[in-house]
Amino acid sequence: MATHPPLVPGLNASAQGRQRYRRNRRGEFAIWWREIDRVLLTLILAVMAIGTAAVAASSPASARRLSTAALKLDDLHFFIIHLRWQAIGLAVMFGASCLPKDMARRIGILLGAAMLVGLALVPVIGSEVNGAKRWLNLGVSLQPSEFLKPAFAIGLAWILSWRSRDPNIPVLGISVGIMALVGGLLMLQPDFGSTILFAGVWFVLVLLSGMSIRLIAGVGAAGVALMVATYVLYDNARHRIDAFLGGGTAYDQVDLAQRTLLSGGWTGSGLWLGTRKLSLPEAHTDYIFSVIGEEFGLWVCAVIVMLYLAIIVRVLLRLVEEEDLFTVLAATGLTAQLGGQAFINILVNLQLFPSKGMTLPLISYGGSSTVALCLGVGFLLAITRRNPFITREGLSLREPGAKK
């Protein structure tokens, strides 16, 4: 039976109610602080702190590039806006991390359904930027594909986890259908880079869920065939791949990014002292890693790579003793999405991957992308919350009754 704190003489009911409320809030915070993965949270905040400095360094280059005779942007224009979006993102991240696992799953599934509708509306009423329709103007610019990323990982994990209850449910066919729908809607924009990222997350989760290698190989062969068809039919993808394989020229974006990245050496030129960044398109988003290399040095770039690797390893270590299949799949999917996007961006800046127009997560300037990434991290923190006093046996994908 629930108990309540005793009434305190001399205090009215309203004051005592406020006391109980504050006591309950402190108790909820104590539970959250005990169950949250504080190491993972520290790594995430460290990456975001580096992102704040990186946007400050890259903001002058983009502001000057986008200024016109009629409108001159302040050098710190994008930095100031980024601080606002980061504040919103942090509030969203901490709010999502307080959710119970079941609530995080429900919200993720509902968000995924809403963003699929948004993706379907983008080709019809979306805003076009640089030849691609990827945004909905709803008072603020919203990119449905960004919010679909964490929802996709959670929704797909939920579907694949049905297998642990009933192996006869055709979860592979359902997941293939969802991936085909998402890929088709993304290519209508077109957004080949995000399609590749979603397909990578799908493949990781299907492989981890214990599906037959023969079935996975068949679907993988179909995926390769679709990529070949995309190369033949999609001019933008073909031009980027051809430029990458052909080595490009000194004026290609990727080549400019690599030159900018290496120009600072190990120690960098210093904050706001870089000059090569001024020739970079999208210095504050797609090519911010190169700006970091020029102004802060290659050693900071190495620290960023190690931080992303540490986030991935930390989540995997957290899941070693997890017995719930949904938790394993959802956390792995969210981590694969974050890590995959990070390393695609880094490889593009190193001229080791064709240009994809993909931001560096939690570091690049962004509006809806920053909030969506923080939401995904909040879901990850919520899903990996754990009572430290409960021991776990670990997950087994063996069928019920099977011999060990």
Side-chain angles (χ1 to χ4, degrees):
M1 184 173 67
T3 60
H4 299 282
L7 294 176
V8 179
L11 290 180
N12 58 36
S14 177
Q16 294 187 58
R18 287 194 296 271
Q19 276 192 353
R20 285 196 298 268
Y21 176 78
R22 287 193 292 267
R23 196 176 293 115
N24 291 338
R25 296 299 294 176
R26 286 196 298 270
E28 291 176 5
F29 176 78
I31 293 172
W32 174 85
W33 184 248
R34 183 184 65 189
E35 295 182 346
I36 204 77
D37 188 342
R38 294 189 290 274
V39 174
L40 179 59
L41 177 61
T42 301
L43 293 171
I44 294 294
L45 294 177
V47 172
M48 294 185 71
I50 292 175
T52 303
V55 174
S58 59
S59 180
S62 295
R64 295 173 193 177
R65 189 180 183 87
L66 296 175
S67 292
T68 62
L71 178 63
K72 186 179 185 303
L73 298 178
D74 184 80
D75 278 355
L76 295 180
H77 172 78
F78 292 105
F79 173 65
I80 294 170
I81 298 176
H82 182 68
L83 289 179
R84 298 172 186 168
W85 284 115
Q86 268 200 331
I88 296 172
L90 284 170
V92 170
M93 182 180 76
F94 284 111
S97 70
C98 294
L99 296 172
K101 185 189 303 183
D102 290 343
M103 183 60 68
R105 184 187 68 229
R106 294 188 188 102
I107 293 176
I109 294 169
L110 292 174
L111 178 65
M115 290 303 105
L116 280 175
V117 174
L119 273 185
L121 292 175
V122 164
V124 181
I125 61 173
S127 303
E128 184 172 331
V129 179
N130 296 328
K133 282 188 176 183
R134 299 177 185 175
W135 293 266
L136 290 175
N137 191 352
L138 304 174
V140 294
S141 184
L142 174 69
Q143 191 172 357
S145 61
E146 292 296 326
F147 285 94
L148 183 60
K149 288 175 182 177
F152 177 80
I154 290 175
L156 188 61
W158 176 59
I159 291 171
L160 293 174
S161 67
W162 297 347
R163 179 177 176 269
S164 63
R165 297 194 298 270
D166 187 352
N168 297 319
I169 299 177
V171 292
L172 180 61
I174 297 172
S175 69
V176 169
I178 293 174
M179 183 62 237
L181 175 61
V182 171
L185 291 173
L186 287 171
M187 290 306 296
L188 288 176
Q189 298 182 5
D191 190 352
F192 185 58
S194 291
T195 304
I196 294 296
L197 182 62
F198 275 91
V201 173
W202 173 87
F203 183 78
V204 168
L205 292 189
V206 169
L207 190 64
L208 186 62
S209 66
M211 293 296 175
S212 165
I213 298 297
R214 183 180 301 176
L215 290 174
I216 294 174
V219 175
V224 172
L226 288 174
M227 291 186 65
V228 173
T230 301
Y231 176 83
V232 174
L233 301 174
Y234 179 29
D235 292 339
N236 191 29
R238 181 169 65 253
H239 293 159
R240 290 188 179 189
I241 293 173
D242 288 345
F244 171 74
L245 296 176
T249 69
Y251 302 99
D252 287 339
Q253 294 181 11
V254 175
D255 188 76
L256 287 171
Q258 186 196 41
R259 291 170 182 270
T260 303
L261 174 66
L262 299 177
S263 64
W266 282 105
T267 57
S269 60
L271 181 62
W272 294 321
L273 297 179
T275 56
R276 285 189 174 271
K277 69 180 182 181
L278 299 176
S279 62
L280 271 180
E282 310 298 338
H284 60 314
T285 55
D286 299 358
Y287 298 107
I288 197 169
F289 190 73
S290 294
V291 176
I292 294 171
E294 181 183 24
E295 298 210 346
F296 300 108
L298 294 177
W299 74 272
V300 177
C301 294
V303 168
I304 291 172
V305 173
M306 288 188 288
L307 282 173
Y308 282 124
L309 287 172
I311 289 171
I312 295 170
V313 171
R314 178 62 187 180
V315 174
L316 295 180
L317 290 176
R318 186 84 168 180
L319 297 176
V320 167
E321 297 181 351
E322 180 58 57
E323 75 272 9
D324 179 51
L325 181 58
F326 167 76
T327 300
V328 172
L329 293 176
T332 303
L334 290 167
T335 307
Q337 178 255 312
L338 178 70
Q341 181 171 333
F343 288 106
I344 287 175
N345 177 279
I346 291 171
L347 291 176
V348 168
N349 280 264
L350 292 173
Q351 208 174 6
L352 297 175
F353 206 78
S355 177
K356 290 294 179 188
M358 197 171 289
T359 59
L360 190 60
L362 302 176
I363 291 181
S364 292
Y365 166 90
S368 59
S369 63
T370 296
V371 176
L373 282 162
C374 287
L375 177 62
V377 171
F379 282 149
L380 179 61
L381 290 168
I383 289 170
T384 56
R385 281 174 61 177
R386 178 181 299 169
N387 188 327
F389 303 109
I390 296 178
T391 58
R392 298 166 183 261
E393 297 180 355
L395 175 68
S396 175
L397 293 177
R398 293 184 178 90
E399 305 295 345
K403 294 182 179 180
K404 297 184 179 181

